[in-house]
Amino acid sequence: MNLSSAYNAYQLSDEERTNLSRLADYTSVQSMPEIWPLAATRFSDTIALSDPHAKIPLKLTYAELAQKIKEFATGLQQLGLEPGEDLIPTRVALFADNSCRWMIADQGIMAAGGANVVRSSQADTQELLYILENSGSTGLVVEDLATLKKLRHKLDELPIKWVVLLADEMAQEETLTVKNFSQIMAAGAGKSLKFFKHTKDTLATLLYTSGTTGQPKGVMLTHGNLLHQVTTLGSIITPKAGECVLSILPTWHSYERSAEYFLLSQGSTQIYTNLRNVKGDIKEYKPHYMIGVPRLWESIYEGIQKQLRSQPANKQKLVKNLLSFSQQYIQARRVVKGLTLTTEMPSAAEKLKATLQMAALWPLHALGERLVYGKIREATGGRIKYVLSGGGSLATFLDTFYETVGIEVLVGYGLTETSPVLTARRYWHNLRGSAGRPIPGTEIKIVDPETRAPLPTGQRGLVLARGPQVMRGYYKNEKATQKAIDAEGWFDTGDLGWLTPGNDLVLTGRAKDTIVLTNGENIEPQPIEDACLRSPYIDQIMLVGQDQKSLGALIVPNVDAVRGWAATQNMNLAEDAAEIDWEQKSLQDLFRQELNREVKNRPGYRADDRIGPVRIVSLPFTIENGMMTQTLKIKRPVVMEHYRDMIDGMFS
């Protein structure tokens, strides 16, 4: 189904039609590299990319970006890159991280006739070598000389013909052709690019899944997959030329990558930031849009809470009371607008009651806006139109907090295998707690996990998806492809969820993450973990308890917050967090009290949700120690294996 017929097949709202009609038209484009000459014509002198934290800060206009992509592509052809097969072009590995040069290399490889194979330069050496071998890459583009050195000992055993360094370093090589960025650009300058006509069915990129268990699989995304995102994400937001977006996620990851392609196709100015500089960059560059994962929004929230805790007690009490009243106002407003997570629409009587509550609470909400919420928005730059959240579940308390202070969070949902966006919340229909409605051309259905029979609206089951963004399959892995995509094109997401009467998708957990207790009860850990993260003393949490009588939890504490609490109790804690006696009764009682309160206050609480044994771990779950994915989701199997003895001891 092509995009035009997909639009006709699936009903668009009036707002979506209006938004799509405002955007630059790329529907006739057949491949990603064709976008940039068009964008250069439309947004010529507008800044496309800015990298203020590079060793040499760099800015590129749209005209300069298009020219550099062309020169890099031509340089690769001069180096010997040949297109390969029609639908499976020559693979070129791109192991590098966020920078202007990454985008030039990414699109340059495609423009030269190749398909790129992407991963972070910081990834484990064995994983990178596996990807090189499995993909059959014959060219390699790397971040720098250090990245090349950690792979060099195996390259002679692989079909790698040449290497390009994105840094301007020089390599001393006798048996391998190695060029740096400037040399490739010089080789391509003033020469004609040999045009290779991709189609929408041509492989554009191979993205390897994180591989929490077993070897990673190569997800085959075509130009048509990626272009579907570019031409449909405008149904969600309509950025204007020159508006600023702050980029912090790995640029090679499908979520960040498709978002960048779309925002750049519309003339946005993308500024690269990082965890060290993001808070300062928010204030300096005052972004209109931010793209991130729940952990980022949680970090910003915790920063706000930390500032609040530093205020005098009377001011803390005032702000806390204002937030409480405003959240009641927000809840009533949701009922009036029909934006509540129920399987039935609110009745006229319920809407009338909520309207009266809104009227009564409005003065207090307005006071909070004047005294507190406006200042919070100003601290985020004061220009944010929308925050785009994906890559994981957004905790309910974060959703409510940002709505209360007037920052619009649009949650999306998808997977690497779906390029990635399947559903998204719209600003005119922002149903908190949901993952939004399908984007144009996309179908979602809920089926029984065992029988695959379709389930009615409101009933929880396995989420299947179908649309132009679904991958072609897993590279050289037909068995896994057939398991993931059925004969009718439905992709098994592995997620559990249900659909509202308005066709909003509500996710409840991962099918494979379900914890089954000895009483036969199935527990979805994510919603309970999200509730527990409301506690200021809990930084990270992972539930355990498979085949046990009750749930247990591993908790990474917020040490600063715990120290603050300890001071009020006249307790002295060790300077080193690893030396704190977390088993002492007073601390255990603190966490027990926090867990009991947050779990019981969670909507839909059941007795089986109660958390039994708890262990405090001082080592945070991070990307660096392998316990989190690049989108900051906990790798449950990895954490469980690392703490196997501790978990076994919890239930012995």
Side-chain angles (χ1 to χ4, degrees):
M1 178 181 292
N2 60 38
L3 287 177
S4 60
S5 63
Y7 293 148
N8 294 329
Y10 305 104
Q11 293 294 317
L12 297 183
S13 68
D14 291 340
E15 292 90 347
E16 287 172 322
R17 291 186 187 281
T18 300
N19 284 351
L20 289 172
S21 68
R22 291 174 182 160
L23 299 177
D25 182 19
Y26 294 103
T27 55
S28 61
V29 167
Q30 296 295 304
S31 68
M32 284 300 305
E34 295 174 55
I35 286 177
W36 312 116
L38 295 174
T41 301
R42 291 166 175 147
F43 316 116
S44 178
D45 295 328
T46 300
I47 298 297
L49 301 176
S50 175
D51 193 353
H53 306 298
K55 291 181 181 178
I56 302 176
L58 179 64
K59 290 183 179 179
L60 293 176
T61 66
Y62 275 86
E64 291 169 336
L65 175 61
Q67 181 62 27
K68 288 186 178 297
I69 289 172
K70 180 182 177 182
E71 289 177 356
F72 190 88
T74 307
L76 292 183
Q77 289 182 345
Q78 295 294 313
L79 194 57
L81 175 61
E82 294 289 339
E85 301 174 18
D86 288 344
L87 297 182
I88 307 291
T90 299
R91 275 80 65 212
V92 176
L94 172 55
F95 297 157
D97 301 290
N98 297 25
S99 71
C100 299
R101 289 184 175 182
W102 188 95
M103 182 62 73
I104 292 168
D106 168 51
Q107 289 304 295
I109 292 169
M110 293 185 195
N116 55 46
V117 184
V118 296
R119 197 74 171 97
S120 169
S121 69
Q122 306 302 313
D124 178 75
T125 300
Q126 293 306 312
E127 181 180 354
L128 294 179
L129 289 171
Y130 171 80
I131 291 172
L132 276 177
E133 181 177 4
N134 183 260
S135 66
S137 294
T138 56
L140 172 62
V141 180
V142 293
E143 178 81 11
D144 50 23
L145 198 54
T147 309
L148 173 60
K149 285 181 178 179
K150 75 178 187 178
L151 302 172
R152 183 64 186 89
H153 65 289
K154 288 289 185 180
L155 292 187
D156 290 337
E157 301 173 18
L158 299 171
I160 300 297
K161 298 177 180 178
W162 46 262
V163 176
V164 174
L165 307 176
L166 289 186
D168 287 324
E169 300 169 314
M170 300 297 292
Q172 301 298 321
E173 282 286 345
E174 295 181 0
T175 61
L176 185 66
T177 300
V178 180
K179 302 290 184 182
N180 64 28
F181 184 81
S182 293
Q183 289 173 327
I184 288 297
M185 298 300 283
K191 296 185 176 65
S192 297
L193 177 66
K194 182 180 177 182
F195 180 70
F196 178 72
K197 185 174 178 58
H198 296 294
T199 70
K200 288 184 178 179
D201 294 326
T202 303
L203 177 69
T205 188
L206 277 176
L207 264 166
Y208 279 75
T209 56
S210 57
T212 54
T213 57
Q215 293 286 13
K217 298 190 291 289
V219 175
M220 295 191 289
L221 298 183
T222 67
H223 287 274
N225 292 150
L226 300 176
L227 286 171
H228 172 266
Q229 303 284 285
V230 171
T231 56
T232 57
L233 294 185
S235 65
I236 304 166
I237 59 172
T238 54
K240 298 177 182 177
E243 288 187 329
C244 173
V245 55
L246 212 53
S247 174
I248 189 172
L249 297 180
T251 194
W252 53 266
H253 190 274
S254 63
Y255 172 35
E256 174 71 20
R257 195 175 182 186
S258 286
E260 287 185 20
Y261 289 160
F262 165 68
L263 289 165
L264 288 170
S265 77
Q266 304 308 315
S268 297
T269 295
Q270 178 170 289
I271 297 172
Y272 292 105
T273 187
N274 51 53
L275 288 173
R276 180 183 300 174
N277 296 291
V278 63
K279 291 180 180 178
D281 286 345
I282 287 174
K283 293 178 181 178
E284 180 175 353
Y285 297 106
K286 306 181 188 306
H288 296 89
Y289 305 97
M290 285 188 67
I291 300 160
V293 293
R295 186 70 175 148
L296 175 61
W297 318 130
E298 184 183 338
S299 174
I300 293 173
Y301 167 85
E302 181 53 40
I304 294 169
Q305 295 298 311
K306 188 174 182 179
Q307 281 191 316
L308 175 59
R309 290 193 292 268
S310 69
Q311 300 299 314
N314 60 340
K315 188 170 183 180
Q316 288 189 49
K317 185 176 181 181
L318 173 63
V319 173
K320 188 174 181 180
N321 287 335
L322 287 173
L323 281 168
S324 178
F325 287 126
S326 288
Q327 287 173 5
Q328 294 175 54
Y329 170 82
I330 292 298
Q331 294 290 351
R333 188 174 69 182
R334 291 177 182 175
V335 173
V336 171
K337 291 186 174 182
L339 293 174
T340 55
L341 275 186
T342 60
T343 55
E344 296 180 1
M345 297 298 290
S347 66
E350 289 172 328
K351 285 191 174 184
L352 176 60
K353 180 182 177 181
T355 301
L356 295 175
Q357 288 178 324
M358 282 181 64
L361 292 166
W362 165 250
L364 292 169
H365 179 65
L367 181 62
E369 169 64 30
R370 188 165 71 251
L371 296 180
V372 182
Y373 313 149
K375 293 178 181 178
I376 290 176
R377 292 197 302 277
E378 196 60 35
T380 61
R383 295 198 304 182
I384 286 184
K385 290 185 173 182
Y386 306 110
V387 165
L388 307 179
S389 182
S393 170
L394 183 68
T396 302
F397 77 92
L398 292 174
D399 226 345
T400 299
F401 173 79
Y402 283 113
E403 182 182 9
T404 301
V405 301
I407 296 176
E408 196 80 25
V409 180
L410 303 178
V411 172
Y413 161 68
L415 303 93
T416 300
E417 289 89 340
T418 60
S419 309
V421 185
L422 290 169
T423 67
R425 291 173 4 191
R426 278 51 160 193
Y427 60 83
W428 65 88
H429 182 79
N430 197 345
L431 180 59
R432 271 73 182 189
S434 80
R437 293 172 170 173
I439 64 173
T442 305
E443 295 174 280
I444 298 291
K445 73 175 178 179
I446 310 297
V447 301
D448 183 287
E450 299 298 328
T451 66
R452 299 300 174 103
L455 296 175
T457 297
Q459 191 166 332
R460 192 190 74 160
L462 185 66
V463 181
L464 303 186
R466 183 166 66 178
Q469 71 272 58
V470 173
M471 66 171 181
R472 176 188 293 175
Y474 295 112
Y475 187 63
K476 295 196 297 188
N477 196 336
E478 187 60 29
K479 183 177 179 180
T481 299
Q482 291 179 357
K483 185 177 179 180
I485 306 173
D486 69 18
E488 295 180 346
W490 288 101
F491 172 71
D492 182 346
T493 68
D495 288 308
L496 300 173
W498 55 280
L499 288 170
T500 70
N503 206 33
D504 298 275
L505 177 63
V506 182
L507 297 170
T508 59
R510 288 286 293 173
K512 64 182 180 182
D513 289 340
T514 300
I515 297 172
V516 183
L517 302 179
T518 52
N519 64 1
E521 286 295 323
N522 288 255
I523 308 294
E524 303 307 328
Q526 187 74 58
I528 301 174
E529 291 166 349
D530 288 345
C532 294
L533 288 173
R534 285 183 62 100
S535 168
Y537 307 111
I538 297 175
D539 194 34
Q540 294 172 299
I541 182 171
M542 192 186 93
L543 297 187
V544 295
Q546 178 66 33
D547 299 323
Q548 302 294 336
K549 293 180 180 179
S550 70
L551 294 174
L554 299 178
I555 292 175
V556 178
N558 183 324
V559 179
D560 289 340
V562 173
R563 289 190 191 283
W565 173 84
T568 67
Q569 307 297 310
N570 296 316
M571 289 175 57
N572 292 318
L573 299 180
E575 288 297 319
D576 188 342
E579 296 179 2
I580 295 175
D581 179 12
W582 295 105
E583 297 302 313
Q584 59 183 293
K585 186 176 184 303
S586 54
L587 290 179
Q588 285 288 312
D589 287 346
L590 170 66
F591 286 106
R592 173 62 52 210
Q593 175 183 320
E594 293 294 300
L595 292 175
N596 286 342
R597 183 187 67 249
E598 299 303 345
V599 171
K600 288 182 178 179
N601 287 340
R602 189 178 75 86
Y605 165 75
R606 303 177 303 169
D608 287 308
D609 294 347
R610 186 185 65 82
I611 298 174
V614 170
R615 293 293 183 272
I616 309 300
V617 296
S618 57
L619 180 68
F621 310 141
T622 67
I623 297 172
E624 289 71 25
N625 63 26
M627 296 188 194
M628 297 192 87
T629 68
Q630 290 287 339
T631 51
L632 305 181
K633 289 183 285 190
I634 295 173
K635 294 183 177 180
R636 296 180 189 271
V638 175
V639 174
M640 288 191 67
E641 185 60 34
H642 184 84
Y643 290 107
R644 172 58 59 193
D645 292 342
M646 179 183 288
I647 294 170
D648 289 344
M650 291 168 65
F651 296 102
S652 62

